[in-house]
Structures are given as C-alpha cells and as structure tokens.
C-alpha cells in the first residue's frame, strides 16, 4: 500500500495534537509516540528558573512562568500515555549536578520518581558518571551505597527503566550497559540506540573515567544498524547525549549549530529520529532528513514525538514533534510523586533549611561581556581563602563557570540556606593546590577559547587579565595584561594555584592544568563556599572587574 504525502501529513497533524486513540486497521500506518526528556538533573522540585515562554510574534521576548517538577511531569506523561503505543524515553543527564533533595541520597529519589512515572529507556549522559561508573551501575541494579549505606525511607531497588550505553566500553571490551533495546508496537519493531558524547572524558573527573572509554557516536550507530536490521528492525531511534543550539524561539530550528549538526549527517540513513541533550537546547529540527529534538532541561518540558510506521516494511514514513511545557496551570501534581518526594524531604529538611548566611540581592552566575560574574568572583575568593588556610603560599584561584550550577538567591529576609549554596556547587569537588609557571598559566587562559564557545575562567582577588577576540578567531590574551597584585606574571616563575580536581585533571579541555606539580588536596569546594558565605554575610552582588575585554 502506498501512502500519499497528504495522507501522512494529515495523520501526523492529528497525532501530534490529540490524546484520542487512533484506530489502526490492517494495512494502515501505525502511530508510535515517544515522550522525550533530557537533562533532568534531579530536579524533583520545580527549578527556580521556571519555564521560558516565547512570544511568537516577537521571538526576542521571553517570559518565565512557574513550571517543572516531577509531580507535574508525571501528570503530563500519564495524560499523553493514554494513547496506545506510547513510550517515555530520555537522552541522559537525568541525575548528577542535582539539587540537595536528590543529591543527598545519591540521586536515588530521582531514579525512583522517573521509574514511577513510566520512563522506559534512557541513554547515559556525562553527569551520570559524576560518582563513577560503578555507582551508575548501582542506579540500574539497586542496593545500598557502598559508603553511606541505605539512607532513604526504604531500600533502593534500582531503576525500572533501561540504561543504554552503546559507545561506553569497559576495559574488557564490553559495553557498560546494553547498546540498544528493541520494543514492539502492534507487531512493528522499533530499535532504540542509546549513548553519550564521545567527549565525555573531557567533562568528567579523572577518577570517573578510569576503566572506561568512549567511542565515536556515528561509528557506533552505524555498526549497530545492520545488527538491528538483522532482527527485523527498520524504525530506528537514537537517544544521544549530545546536542546543539538555536537562535530562534522554542520549537524553532533557526541557526541550529553545535556538534549535533555534524554528527547526524554521518548516521546511516536507516536512522529516523534523534533525541538529543547535553546543551539544554529547546528545538525540533530536521537535519539531513531526520527529526532531531531536544526538550530543554530540568523537567520543564517534554517533546511529544509521533512516528508513522509502515506495517509492511516496518520503516518510518513520517515523523513530527511538538513541545509540551510542564506549567503549573496545565498539569496538576501527581499525588504518588508528591508522597514519594515528601518521604525523602522529611529526612533532608533539617540540613536543607540550615541557615549559613545572607545576601542583599541575587548574586548571578549568568554570562557577561567580559566573562566575569559576581558569583564567579565570590567562589574563586572562597577557594583562595580555603587554600590559604592549609597552604598559606597559595596565590591564585581558578573556577570553571560550568561548575557553577545556580545563582545565589535573595530569599525572604535575605537568608541563605545550605540548600541554596549546595545548588550552586553540587558536585562535591576537592580543592587542589598545584604549582604552575607563568607560561603555563598563560596557556591555561588561552584554552578558554573552545569550539563550543568561550569558557572564561573565574579568578580570585589580586589576579587579572584582559582578552580580545577578532571575529571568527580564537581568544587572544593581551600581552602584559596577566597580573598578580598589579605586577605582570613572569613566564619562568612558579606560582601556587588552587582549582578543583575536575580542572586539575584537565576537565573542560583545560589540559594545561595537567602540567601542575606538587599537588595537594586541601578540602572541598562546598566547605570552602559555606565558610566564606558565613564569614562575609551579608553578601552583595558585585563584580570586581578582574577580567576585561577589549575590541
């Protein structure tokens, strides 16, 4: 049977906007629906940023409305799953860099919440490796934490959904998790391949990447396609923790850029749909003839994907998607999710609500023209102060902006809680003091230019530099502008520097840090921040002018 483009378009238009089951008779196309999320990061409660809503008449205008949270996301999934042949999938980073409510219990509550709402399959993101691949295996299989034991309200049983890790290999050559999963809908098979980005080693700690390696995304997929086809699978979905950026509104594909644009055209033409993540982008695009989607982050939205499959050939003959915002006015909270989360909250609240200091305003981490932020300055200063208590000769602190995960809020009364500062630095990184020469520090600063965008390090009091960037060119550090206490750095002179263990191991492509010598661990980043906040409250939102940019 042949299906005209008009018939397919009409079917997909209906499929993407209704929850009414569509009757399938013999020979008719089969509708399969995917409810896709990515980068949830343990946000059981609604994130402080809310949901961005775009004014389509004026795409440059954005508004933020309350949204997200596992209870409302679960309600949306339940409503949309009333349709037959519907499955919930994800593209990684469901845990890691999580708020305290989840992280305090090693993300067990998030695994339980996602399992309860019906997640079926997910790829592995880089943040799933924050506590190492052995801990990630525990997320799948269950059991008590090897150090902290069982801390939750009930024994942890592990994920009821399936992790896929096609491109993550152990030293013995096997994959960390199965490379793919095959599901059947009305007699038609759909294959799901799941994997993380090849560059994962650059964004996890040295300890986390020990014993595993990551393969090329396209090569991995293309090697698996024949294996799926040999099992009668022609409809293929890739769940990939890698993504891109757009310049348009939600659902818009204008200006799509980033690694995903290069990867998808390399996929075998048998691949039909690619669900992406990592960049927290919001887009529904067509790349090289394939539907490519991303649902933002933190459970504030999901992508409702409808695939039309020929029952005779088993291949996808059409695909369409829409963005579903998880707003407070659209979805009520699922009572079972509320009960699950509150069981953990009752145990966590004494720590979460402990007051550690105060602010006079929101202290932001957002990007600026120079790259310097008020919160970045504060964190770098806290690192330097902590390092000097153990190593008085420490002179400079460097902080990666990607490790700053939230603003410091201005709460009623100005009070800051432990939960507030934990949200800023949730990784539990160690602080490492090491020796670099002036020339090696210059090399570090030049590595702030990266293919995915500039990554301007936050620096401590007394250190300063100036940079420029000719159009389309790498960052240039202005000669003589790198100064410590007003004096230019000497290329051959040694300096004692403190950073976190992630950067010290070459994370975020700052490989010049690996040249450091005489390394000493001097505490944790969170302890340093708490001590600084307590000692210096009330805190003001002031950028210190340590980093300058010129044309």
């Amino acid at each position: 049977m042949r299906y005209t483009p008009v018939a397919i378009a009409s079917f997909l238009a209906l499929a993407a906007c209704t929850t009414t089951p569509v009757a399938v008779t013999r020979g008719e196309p089969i509708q399969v629906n995917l409810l896709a999320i990515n980068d949830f990061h343990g946000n059981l409660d609604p994130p402080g940023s809310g949901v961005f809503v775009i004014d389509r008449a004026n795409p440059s205008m954005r508004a933020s409305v309350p949204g997200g949270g596992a209870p409302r996301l679960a309600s949306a999934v339940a409503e949309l799953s009333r349709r037959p042949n519907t499955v919930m999938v994800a593209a990684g980073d469901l845990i890691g860099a999580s708020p305290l409510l989840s992280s305090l219990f090693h993300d067990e509550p998030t695994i339980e919440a996602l399992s309860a709402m019906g997640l079926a399959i997910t790829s592995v993101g880089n943040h799933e490796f924050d506590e190492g691949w052995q801990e990630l295996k525990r997320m799948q299989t269950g059991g008590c934490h090897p150090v902290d034991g069982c801390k939750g309200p009930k024994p942890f049983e592990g994920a009821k959904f399936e992790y896929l890790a096609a491109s993550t290999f152990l030293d013995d050559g096997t994959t960390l998790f199965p490379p793919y999963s095959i599901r059947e809908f009305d007699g038609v098979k759909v294959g799901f391949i799941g994997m993380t980005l090849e560059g994962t080693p650059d964004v996890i700690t040295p300890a986390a990447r020990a014993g595993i390696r990551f393969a090329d995304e396209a090569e991995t997929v293309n090697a698996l396609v024949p294996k799926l086809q040999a099992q009668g699978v022609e409809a293929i979905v890739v769940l990939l923790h890698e993504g891109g950026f757009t310049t348009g509104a939600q659902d818009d594909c204008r200006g799509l850029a980033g690694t995903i644009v290069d990867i998808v055209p390399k996929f075998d033409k048998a691949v039909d749909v690619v669900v992406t993540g990592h960049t927290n982008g919001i887009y529904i695009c067509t790349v090289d003839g394939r539907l490519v989607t991303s649902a933002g982050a933190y459970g504030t939205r999901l992508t409702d994907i409808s695939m039309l499959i020929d029952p005779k050939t088993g291949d996808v003959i059409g695909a369409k998607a829409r963005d579903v915002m998880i707003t407070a006015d659209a979805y009520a909270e699922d009572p079972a999710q509320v009960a699950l989360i509150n069981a953990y909250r009752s145990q966590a609240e004494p720590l979460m609500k402990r007051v550690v200091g105060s602010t006079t305003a929101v202290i932001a981490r957002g990007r600026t023209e120079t790259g310097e932020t008020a919160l970045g300055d504060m964190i770098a200063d806290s690192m330097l102060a902590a390092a000097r208590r153990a190593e008085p000769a420490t002179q400079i602190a460097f902080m990666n902006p990607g490790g700053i995960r939230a603003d410091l809020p201005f709460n009623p009364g100005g009070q800051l809680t432990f939960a507030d500062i934990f949200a800023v630095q949730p990784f539990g990184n160690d602080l490492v003091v090491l020796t670099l020469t002036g020339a090696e520090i210059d090399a570090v600063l030049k590595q702030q230019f990266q293919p995915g965008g500039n990554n301007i390090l936050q620096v401590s009091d007394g250190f300063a530099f100036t940079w420029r960037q000719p159009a389309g060119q790498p960052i240039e550090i202005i000669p003589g502008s790198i100064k410590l206490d007003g004096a230019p750095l000497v290329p051959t002179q040694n300096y004692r520097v403190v950073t976190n263990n992630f950067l010290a191991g070459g994370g975020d492509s700052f490989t010049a840090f690996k040249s450091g010598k005489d390394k000493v661990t001097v505490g944790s980043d969170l302890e340093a921040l708490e001590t600084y906040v307590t000692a210096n409250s009330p805190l003001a939102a002031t950028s210190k002018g340590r980093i300058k940019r010129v044309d």
Side-chain angles (χ1 to χ4, degrees):
M1 179 182 294
R2 293 182 60 83
Y3 308 103
T4 67
V6 172
I8 294 172
S10 298
F11 189 95
L12 287 171
L14 174 65
C17 64
T18 182
T19 58
T20 303
V22 179
V24 177
T25 60
R26 186 176 182 86
E28 285 187 346
I30 295 169
Q31 178 190 342
V32 174
N33 308 300
L34 312 179
L35 305 178
I37 64 170
N38 53 274
D39 298 274
F40 185 73
H41 288 293
N43 277 262
L44 299 168
D45 289 326
S49 58
V51 177
F52 285 120
V53 180
I54 309 298
D55 181 352
R56 291 195 180 280
N58 186 358
S60 65
M61 298 298 293
R62 285 190 172 198
S64 182
V65 299
R72 288 195 176 91
L73 179 61
S75 292
V77 171
E79 179 179 312
L80 294 168
S81 294
R82 293 173 188 164
R83 299 168 298 183
N85 300 336
T86 298
V87 61
M88 184 182 181
V89 300
D93 272 9
L94 303 181
I95 59 174
S98 305
L100 185 60
L101 179 58
S102 183
S103 187
L104 183 63
F105 301 97
H106 299 282
D107 281 314
E108 292 173 12
T110 293
I111 298 297
E112 291 185 12
L114 292 170
S115 296
M117 74 176 67
L119 179 64
I121 308 167
T122 184
S123 60
V124 174
N126 55 286
H127 279 288
E128 262 89 13
F129 293 102
D130 282 352
E131 295 191 51
W133 63 265
Q134 296 90 344
E135 172 67 357
L136 178 55
K137 292 283 280 189
R138 187 179 74 88
M139 293 294 98
Q140 181 74 86
T141 59
C144 297
H145 188 271
V147 176
D148 294 338
C150 294
K151 297 174 62 178
K154 64 178 184 177
F156 178 58
E157 298 178 355
K160 292 182 173 59
F161 52 86
E162 186 176 12
Y163 276 111
L164 301 180
S167 58
T168 305
F169 292 88
L170 301 174
D171 287 342
D172 64 4
T174 61
T175 55
L176 178 63
F177 294 111
Y180 59 82
S181 180
I182 299 173
R183 302 297 171 102
E184 192 167 315
F185 306 91
D186 286 338
V188 173
K189 294 179 179 180
V190 178
F192 297 87
I193 300 172
M195 57 188 173
T196 189
L197 63 155
E198 183 183 10
T200 296
D202 295 332
V203 290
I204 60 177
T205 64
R209 61 181 179 253
I212 52 175
R213 64 179 178 87
F214 299 86
D216 179 89
E217 302 95 340
E219 291 177 2
T220 298
V221 167
N222 293 346
L224 291 173
V225 166
K227 295 181 180 181
L228 288 169
Q229 291 176 327
Q231 299 175 69
V233 177
E234 293 297 336
I236 298 176
V237 177
V238 171
L239 308 174
L240 172 59
H241 191 71
E242 180 60 288
F245 310 88
T246 65
T247 58
Q250 64 192 41
D251 302 352
D252 203 327
C253 204
R254 285 181 293 171
L256 181 67
T259 309
I260 197 67
V261 177
D262 299 320
I263 293 175
V264 172
K266 297 177 184 177
F267 285 158
D268 189 294
K269 293 298 183 183
V271 172
D272 302 290
V273 174
V274 184
V275 178
T276 72
H278 189 52
T279 60
N280 296 3
I282 304 168
Y283 49 80
I284 296 171
C285 299
T286 299
V287 179
D288 192 43
R290 271 70 76 88
L291 180 64
V292 179
T293 71
S294 178
Y298 311 138
T300 58
R301 58 200 351 110
L302 62 78
T303 311
D304 183 16
I305 303 169
S306 297
M307 300 189 301
L308 198 61
I309 301 177
D310 186 323
K312 291 186 177 180
T313 66
D315 205 356
V316 174
I317 55 176
K320 187 175 182 178
R322 67 182 179 119
D323 188 45
V324 178
M325 292 182 291
I326 313 302
T327 55
D329 61 346
Y331 298 101
E333 292 189 324
D334 177 80
Q337 289 278 331
V338 172
L340 185 158
I341 293 166
N342 283 345
Y344 280 97
R345 195 190 312 279
S346 65
Q347 295 186 216
E349 275 192 336
L351 176 61
M352 295 172 67
K353 291 183 175 180
R354 179 165 60 83
V355 176
V356 298
S358 62
T359 59
T360 60
V362 173
I363 302 177
R365 65 182 178 122
R367 293 190 177 190
T368 64
E369 179 67 22
T370 66
E372 180 181 357
T373 67
L375 186 51
D377 286 348
M378 183 180 302
I379 290 173
D381 287 349
S382 75
M383 296 166 68
L384 183 61
R388 282 178 170 170
R389 287 191 288 272
E391 289 270 319
T394 309
Q395 299 160 283
I396 309 164
F398 291 106
M399 177 64 194
N400 57 310
I404 307 173
R405 305 301 293 190
D407 297 341
L408 271 181
F410 180 63
N411 296 321
Q415 288 187 335
L416 284 176
T417 66
F418 183 78
D420 292 328
I421 65 168
F422 186 92
V424 171
Q425 291 194 286
F427 297 111
N429 284 328
D430 291 329
L431 296 182
V432 180
V433 176
L434 49 88
T435 297
L436 293 173
T437 66
E440 288 167 340
I441 291 174
D442 179 71
V444 164
L445 296 179
K446 288 177 179 175
Q447 289 179 337
Q448 294 174 117
F449 172 79
Q450 296 175 6
N454 294 336
N455 199 3
I456 305 300
L457 295 170
Q458 306 300 288
V459 300
S460 56
D461 185 33
F463 188 78
F465 67 93
T466 302
W467 62 280
R468 65 185 172 206
Q469 188 171 27
Q473 298 297 314
I475 281 176
E476 295 177 359
I477 305 300
I478 302 300
S481 73
I482 307 175
K483 295 181 179 180
L484 179 61
D485 297 327
L489 254 62
V490 179
T492 57
Q493 184 173 322
N494 288 333
Y495 298 89
R496 288 295 273 171
V497 168
V498 62
T499 189
N500 56 50
N501 58 299
F502 173 68
L503 283 180
D508 272 352
S509 299
F510 284 99
T511 56
F513 277 113
K514 296 171 71 174
S515 302
K517 299 177 176 62
D518 303 322
K519 297 179 181 179
V520 180
T521 300
V522 294
S524 80
D525 56 1
L526 184 60
E527 291 171 353
L529 182 59
E530 180 179 357
T531 300
Y532 184 91
V533 166
T534 301
N536 293 279
S537 288
L539 303 166
T542 306
S543 185
K544 307 295 186 181
R546 299 166 187 173
I547 304 172
K548 294 182 172 61
R549 180 179 182 179
V550 297
D551 294 331

